Amino acid sequence: MWRNYVTVGFRALTRHKTYAFINIFGLALGLAACLMLLIYVRYETSYDSWLTDAERVYQVQSINVSDDNPDRTPQQGTHGVITESLAADFPQIEEIVRVEGDNPVFLRDGEPTFAEMAVADENFFRVLQLPFLRGDPATALSGMDSLVLSRSEAINLFGSVDVLGRTITAIRRGEQQSLRVTGVFEDIPRNSHMNFRMVGRISELDKEECGWGCINGWVYLKLRPGADAEAINAALPAGERRNIPPVDVGGRQVSEGDLFDWRLVNLRDVHLSGAEGELERPGNDRRTIATFTIVALLILAMASINFVNLATARASQRAREVALRKVLGARRKQLVTQFLGESLLITGVAMLAALAMVELGLPYLSAFLNADLGIAYLGGQGILLPVLALFLVVGLAGGLYPAFYLSRYQPAEVLKANKSTAEPLGSGRLRSILVVTQFAVSIGLIVCTIVVYAQTRFAQTTDLGFERDGLIQISNMTRASVIPQTETLMREIARVPGVDAVAGASITAATGNVTNTSVLVPGRPEPLLIGNYSVSPEFFETMGVRLLAGRPLSRDFAKDSLWFPYEPEEAIEPAMRNLAARGANIVVNRLAAERMGFADPRSAVGQTVQLNVFPDEVGMLPATIVGVVENSRFRSLRESVEPQLFYDRGIYRSLAVRYRSSNPEDVRQNIERVWRRLVTDVPFEGEYADAQLAELYATDAARGTTFAGFSALAVVIACLGLFGLAAFTAERRTREIGIRKVFGARSSDIVRLLAWQFSKPVIVANLI
């Protein structure tokens, strides 16, 4: 019996090759697209689940909730000092660790090179139990000279993982320090929000540099078994009020707890928490994952609709076969079983083709999305069971309706009326509904793709408030050996052929630096939280920031400079007294002026406010606004425009170099030669601003392109189905077309007649 069913099924396929190709190829495309998207979704939802005790490990995230900040996006970074209060307040916490980023210079064969390093408390590897290859994780960070490497970093530095006891010279805070390798851990997989390559011990000096006013790293904790993280989250607001000391700002008591909230997020949820991650491992959100899941199911549904449409369309041609089988004694149950078997046969062939497509296409999708997508059939991450489930669901769901339609023919009616080519009652209406549904979904996906493309183009071309092209940004200006060379570097780089202007800045394009200060405005009861950045007087012209009112900073006015020495000790105090007595001049952006309550930029010029920029040295510093500039977006468009004030401290994080040249790389190389001549112990890092800005949206662009690609697949599948129906209809109406031609119809009339028939569902789909 089963052999007969299979034989009949294969004969039906080989007899109608176009029908078989459209059915199998369309279904294979849908299944392959669905599988690839679901593999990606499973990958995105698997972040950090591989880590031991991941269900008990949490990240402490911070959220700026000040009234002046409409953007309540959580941050993965937080105030390192919170570790002390959390450990004291909540006995449910088994271990807590603070981690900060560091970028020391390593000396390799006498040549300086940068190292991306994290510094952490001694218990780092007891909280984040990374798999160790060499050494003891319990004692790996016991010494201040400890250095733990990832596998790839150990091989990169020493050519082997057997490196315990080896030493490397690092320059930190301007001093050489010998670090000893005490452990090697396995490389952290791509499906992790963490990107640690080497870990050292954090010093007490690092801890003391920032208090409650500084977001300076990450905090992780491990709860005791059975502890409830939500109970801790509920109790955190009371802890904020209890543990964060208020600061006197112009006679008013201001607490950081009024400006920030904190929350515990399980390690496995960090990636999808909506908090911004590193550029190399950007975060995602659950809406994006839900979107890709829906697209996968829609594509699969459209492929299944093709199957149902073509099966019901061809059902009429099998009416006589069904009638003869019933006359010979076949029961309806047997016929249903036969046609469901044919459906499963087609689905099985399509599934094999789909798996081949997935095997071939997944590496390209993985590389494009910068992910580590893989396919395994067995094991915990295997797809064999999902594939079998998908095969049965699609095969049965796609074949159930046609099977019941085919099996309900009455032999007497079919054979008496010779209805071998009759249209089953209601099937034409069903096909129209399914075609409309298909194209409504396809057109909706096209519209979504256009929106995503428009948003990506907007991010790439929108006016950011400064000129992004023709700009090179040089970092590492706060190194101890670089600071004394700042003026010389700016002067010498300005002489390089092709360089138009050079400026020092603590904020540049695609910056990760956020520095806030409290500002008291006369007549306003509460202080404002405003970003404050040190820039040289050439900054606004170099960056192309438009002046709206007043003047920019200038070297011609003493109050435009807030420079004071860090050493010697005896020179600092008189310099600070002088600064506090004379005050300072500042420039603000349009948003800062509006937040301060000034109706327009001109009315802000000449006004005096109180700054809390140097609270320990000066206290509240009187500052006069001498200029107002246009708002600039130095960060991602996902973040709100920041109110900013600018002053000249004389020390900058970066240099901004404006060039006009047909060969930018020559300009960059000449700048590097100047750097190497003046700074011998710090490597040169100069990047094009437009490339750095593009990197901010690289992951979004890749996801958008992926969405567009799968949307195009959905359109292809819908068009395949429509083509199959059109070909079948044209074949079934051969006699009608011949009669029309006999009565004078031209080919164009016939084409218009058939085209209009299949255009109507598409027009309705457009309206929907």
Side-chain angles (χ1 to χ4, degrees), residues 128-141:
L128 299 172
Q129 299 181 44
L130 303 179
F132 260 58
L133 302 175
R134 301 289 187 275
D136 182 2
T139 59
L141 291 179

Side-chain angles (χ1 to χ4, degrees), residues 21 531 551 758:
F21 172 79
R551 64 172 178 84
F758 288 101

